């Protein structure tokens, strides 16, 4: 069974940093992987994705230069390093598996999400 | 504002059919594959449709998808109260080089 489990969320002050992790099981990380966030009461926002071997990464404009997506295939893990956090980054962050053959277009497995709250 | 445009809400009676539209542009829907997601309250999104009109295993054929030009549509027949949820369309935007979603549509089964 495919399973994605996020961790690392919490309360952080504006300007602070946080590192999210996503542990994958039930499949090998031979997929593109993404982070998708959802602000409280709002819709889905794609944040970033990374190619199977880490050789390509894409980001939404609002996080470029502040967030870094990475992966460790030996540990079956995905990460999101978030720096210079702003109030508008407050959201539930989901780890999602890009569907084979459809990177960035379709996400066939999702974690339960981890809440990041940016507030003083 | 979302790159893809969806109606905020739709409603229909149990047993009826409903459609949800998703409008975009040539840089996203027009040249990439559309997916649809169902998000029940308090849960993670679930893939319903991929590649415009394909259903993952386990998704009933009450759910269907179509695409024409720069618009896509999700159809749900035989509505059940358990279908009450938020529905999102998504795809890749080749100009932005980013994934994009619609703002979401809340389905109410009256």
């Amino acid at each position: 069974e495919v399973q994605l489990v996020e961790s690392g969320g919490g309360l952080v002050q504006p300007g602070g940093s946080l590192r999210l992790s996503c542990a994958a099981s039930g499949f090998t990380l031979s997929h593109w992987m993404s982070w998708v966030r959802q602000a409280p009461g709002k819709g889905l926002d794609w944040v970033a994705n990374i190619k199977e071997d880490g050789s390509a990464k894409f980001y939404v404009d609002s996080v470029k230069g502040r967030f870094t997506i990475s992966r460790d295939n030996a540990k079956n893990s995905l990460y999101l390093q978030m720096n210079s956090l702003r109030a508008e980054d407050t959201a539930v962050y989901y780890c999602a598996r890009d569907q084979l053959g459809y990177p960035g277009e379709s996400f066939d497995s999702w974690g339960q999400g981890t809440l990041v709250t940016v507030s003083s | 504002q979302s790159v893809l445009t969806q109606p905020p809400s739709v409603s229909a009676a149990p047993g009826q059919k409903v459609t949800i539209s998703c409008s975009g542009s040539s840089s996203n829907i027009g040249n990439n594959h559309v997916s649809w997601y169902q998000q029940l309250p308090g849960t993670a999104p679930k893939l319903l449709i991929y590649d415009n009109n394909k259903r993952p295993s386990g998704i009933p054929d009450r759910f269907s998808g179509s695409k024409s030009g720069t618009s896509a549509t999700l159809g749900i027949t035989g509505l059940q109260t358990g279908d009450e949820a938020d529905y999102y369309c998504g795809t890749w935007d080749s100009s932005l080089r980013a994934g994009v979603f619609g703002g979401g549509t809340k389905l109410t089964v009256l």
Side-chain angles (χ1 to χ4, degrees):
Chain A
E1 178 193 5
V2 174
Q3 197 169 12
L4 298 170
V5 179
E6 303 94 337
S7 60
L11 175 63
V12 61
Q13 292 188 339
S17 298
L18 214 53
R19 189 195 196 207
L20 305 183
S21 299
C22 171
S25 60
F27 69 103
T28 57
L29 274 184
S30 54
H31 292 247
W32 283 73
M33 296 292 294
S34 287
W35 288 98
V36 177
R37 67 185 177 183
Q38 186 170 34
K42 302 297 184 181
L44 301 176
D45 281 321
W46 180 88
V47 174
N49 69 353
I50 183 169
K51 196 176 179 182
E52 302 95 320
D53 61 1
S55 62
K57 304 174 185 181
F58 295 94
Y59 300 90
V60 67
D61 280 351
S62 59
V63 309
K64 284 178 182 174
R66 301 189 300 124
F67 290 11
T68 302
I69 189 171
S70 63
R71 63 194 297 162
D72 184 337
N73 290 346
K75 295 183 178 179
N76 258 19
S77 292
L78 176 72
Y79 306 100
L80 186 68
Q81 177 66 42
M82 304 185 295
N83 299 331
S84 303
L85 282 162
R86 306 166 180 167
E88 54 265 36
D89 295 318
T90 294
V92 172
Y93 283 73
Y94 293 102
C95 167
R97 187 178 79 170
D98 292 41
Q99 190 170 11
L100 278 177
Y102 303 93
E105 296 175 326
S106 177
F107 311 102
D108 60 1
S109 292
W110 297 67
Q112 85 288 349
T114 187
L115 176 62
V116 172
T117 303
V118 184
S119 175
S120 55
Chain B
Q1 303 287 35
S2 301
V3 173
L4 306 180
T5 301
Q6 297 181 233
S9 63
V10 295
S11 62
Q16 297 301 304
K17 174 182 178 178
V18 71
T19 60
I20 298 173
S21 61
C22 177
S23 178
S25 68
S26 58
S27 65
N28 42 67
I29 292 178
N31 283 284
N32 294 295
H33 303 101
V34 177
S35 54
W36 288 91
Y37 305 86
Q38 176 192 62
Q39 187 175 34
L40 297 169
T43 69
K46 175 184 176 181
L47 179 65
L48 289 178
I49 297 290
Y50 69 98
D51 193 357
N52 307 325
N53 55 19
K54 296 180 174 58
R55 284 176 287 106
S57 61
I59 301 300
D61 59 7
R62 300 189 299 109
F63 295 91
S64 63
S66 64
K67 186 181 100 167
S68 178
T70 60
S71 294
T73 301
L74 173 70
I76 311 173
T77 59
L79 278 171
Q80 304 171 1
T81 54
D83 295 331
E84 286 202 335
D86 294 323
Y87 292 84
Y88 296 90
C89 58
T91 188
W92 182 256
D93 191 296
S94 303
S95 294
L96 296 174
R97 299 213 300 170
V100 290
F101 289 101
T105 299
K106 182 176 183 60
L107 168 64
T108 300
V109 181
L110 302 168

